[in-house]
Amino acid sequence: MRTTTRLGAVTAALTVSAIALTGCASGSATSATTTAATSAATGPAVDLSDVCPATVVVQTDWNPEGEHGHLYQMLGANPAIDASGKTVTGDLVANGKPTGVKLEIRAGGPAIGYSKVSSQMYQDKSITLGYVSTDEAVMFSGELPTTAVFAENDQSPMAIMWDPATYPDVDSIESLGKALEENDGVVRYFNDAAYMSYLEQSGILPKSVLDGSYDGTPSKFVSAGGKDAQQGFATAEPYVYKNQVAAWGKEVESALISSTGWNPYPETMSVRSDQMSELKPCLEKLVPVMQQADVDYLESPAATNDLITQLVQQYNNGWTYDSKVGAFAAEQMQKRGIATDGDNGYVGDMDEQRMADFIEKATPVFSGSGGNMKKDLAPSDLYTNEFLDDSISLGF
């Protein structure tokens, strides 16, 4: 799971959920035997054939995982898996019925050489939509402008985790920083993470506890015996460290980075801004399909998680993920407010004031960081809610 979108260095932050698991099977082009969307909700047929590309191509930012559930939920029965190309293609379905077009989902991260999704979208014009988080969109708004049309999750799952036995009184990232300083501990993270620059600049974490040497493995966290903290994802690490990292095998506590005020929308479904007019007729019909798929996945994630597991096994690139982690992710997305209807009572919308606040916080962080922010960047440059159906709600 992860980019700056998965915050910070758009490539590095993604490796976290892979920890301490081992690869499974390999394979060439095959058909998945798992049925996802066709086993889910019922409803009216939707025809996209007259308004959308014959194949809607979506570039993700990482390997298949539960946080991408709504996307894989839209695949019909027995999609074709290209294990070498790290893609899966099948009927794009809505309410369990084919829409007349295909859906091709491309893995990101290692599959695209850790390239930023926005860069990939401008290099390959066949991509219809891509996962671009708000921080990436802001950072490259002048050079690679993208417009978000649907926010699958309202909060990022990016978190900092710690040992509750060592730090029983810690209840926030700020209090964790003070406790680490007193105990000569550090919080280990991927170097150059944008969120960490914000936490340091805002005084939430003292510079003395920052350690950018995290390499995506559990070894340093385990060997520290609870003294140190570490970046992670609230939707994966708590389960993985307790159940799949034998050298740890116990609870970890965590707090979302978003609780500190660094609060980009994660992995929004985005288009190149110069394609908005061309894609508008498609987006008017497709975005509500994505909304409903998000609702359907969170109501019944098991079949889609099985498909995700099958894809991970066949892609066989060192990342591992199983249906148990996927089930935990779906549960935590609801429990921790990662997936919500926001303030408007329907799924997928983005808030103008929140965007404006993030631009203000991100501007000093990204100054001189190698990005290319647009001058006088406005929230309306980054997103639109115009295609959302306000009757589609997660209901929790």
Side-chain angles (χ1 to χ4, degrees):
M1 223 160 40
R2 334 277 180 359
T3 77
T4 9
T5 347
R6 305 313 213 153
L7 287 66
V10 177
T11 60
L14 305 178
T15 338
V16 205
S17 296
I19 45 181
L21 305 176
T22 54
C24 301
S26 63
S28 56
T30 60
S31 293
T33 57
T34 306
T35 302
T38 51
S39 66
T42 59
V46 177
D47 184 5
L48 301 178
S49 63
D50 58 340
V51 290
C52 289
T55 299
V56 174
V57 178
V58 180
Q59 177 63 64
T60 70
D61 62 341
W62 193 237
N63 295 295
E65 58 185 347
E67 289 84 348
H68 302 172
H70 91 281
L71 186 55
Y72 292 96
Q73 182 78 22
M74 292 191 293
L75 280 170
N78 303 317
I81 301 172
D82 179 353
S84 60
K86 309 297 187 286
T87 67
V88 59
T89 305
D91 289 331
L92 195 162
V93 303
N95 301 319
K97 304 175 181 67
T99 60
V101 302
K102 298 291 185 180
L103 173 63
E104 176 184 318
I105 304 173
R106 300 179 180 178
I112 55 173
Y114 299 97
S115 173
K116 298 170 181 63
V117 172
S118 51
S119 176
Q120 199 77 6
M121 292 168 70
Y122 274 86
Q123 291 175 32
D124 184 348
K125 300 300 177 65
S126 70
I127 297 171
T128 315
L129 297 124
Y131 273 166
V132 181
S133 294
T134 306
D135 45 358
E136 181 180 334
V138 169
M139 188 176 184
F140 296 97
S141 53
E143 180 183 12
L144 306 169
T146 54
T147 303
V149 298
F150 171 65
E152 174 190 15
N153 286 323
D154 190 59
Q155 305 290 326
S156 170
M158 173 67 83
I160 293 177
M161 68 181 199
W162 64 89
D163 176 24
T166 303
Y167 300 110
D169 297 326
V170 167
D171 59 2
S172 67
I173 291 175
E174 186 171 11
S175 65
L176 174 65
K178 295 175 182 177
L180 289 170
E181 194 170 36
E182 293 173 358
N183 200 33
D184 294 324
V186 298
V187 54
R188 204 163 279 110
Y189 63 97
F190 280 116
N191 197 31
D192 296 327
Y195 73 88
M196 196 59 77
S197 298
Y198 165 76
L199 294 178
E200 180 187 351
Q201 291 177 15
S202 61
I204 294 171
L205 285 178
K207 186 175 182 179
S208 61
V209 307
L210 304 185
D211 182 341
S213 68
Y214 183 53
D215 61 2
T217 72
S219 57
K220 291 181 179 179
F221 184 85
V222 172
S223 64
K227 180 181 178 181
D228 296 341
Q230 181 177 286
Q231 78 165 63
F233 289 83
T235 47
E237 268 74 4
Y239 179 88
V240 171
Y241 271 66
K242 181 179 179 181
N243 297 286
Q244 297 177 340
V245 178
W248 185 257
K250 56 184 177 180
E251 302 281 350
V252 295
E253 188 58 80
S254 64
L256 297 178
I257 300 295
S258 62
S259 66
T260 68
W262 183 263
N263 197 19
Y265 288 95
E267 299 178 323
T268 62
M269 295 288 281
S270 302
V271 300
R272 296 199 324 266
S273 297
D274 62 2
Q275 275 193 309
M276 179 57 73
S277 296
E278 176 188 346
L279 287 175
K280 185 174 181 177
C282 174
L283 295 171
E284 287 174 344
K285 287 188 173 183
L286 177 59
V287 170
V289 172
M290 294 191 289
Q291 288 178 273
Q292 188 60 53
D294 198 17
V295 172
D296 294 342
Y297 170 72
L298 289 171
E299 284 183 350
S300 183
T304 297
N305 284 339
D306 288 344
L307 172 60
I308 287 170
T309 300
Q310 186 177 353
L311 294 173
V312 169
Q313 291 173 348
Q314 293 209 27
Y315 292 173
N316 192 30
N317 64 358
W319 164 263
T320 58
Y321 199 87
D322 63 32
S323 295
K324 291 181 179 179
V325 182
F328 179 82
E331 176 187 273
Q332 293 301 301
M333 281 189 275
Q334 299 179 53
K335 182 178 179 180
R336 303 195 65 164
I338 292 166
T340 75
D341 286 334
D343 296 329
N344 293 334
Y346 56 94
V347 65
D349 66 297
M350 291 155 276
D351 180 75
E352 181 178 10
Q353 187 59 54
R354 176 171 159 186
M355 286 286 193
D357 290 345
F358 185 78
I359 292 171
E360 182 178 357
K361 291 171 182 174
T363 298
V365 172
F366 291 140
S367 296
S369 64
N372 187 352
M373 281 185 62
K374 178 183 177 182
K375 292 182 179 179
D376 302 318
L377 182 66
S380 58
D381 295 323
L382 300 174
Y383 83 103
T384 179
N385 289 329
E386 66 181 294
F387 306 116
L388 296 168
D389 183 337
D390 62 11
S391 70
I392 301 176
S393 169
L394 291 171
F396 53 80

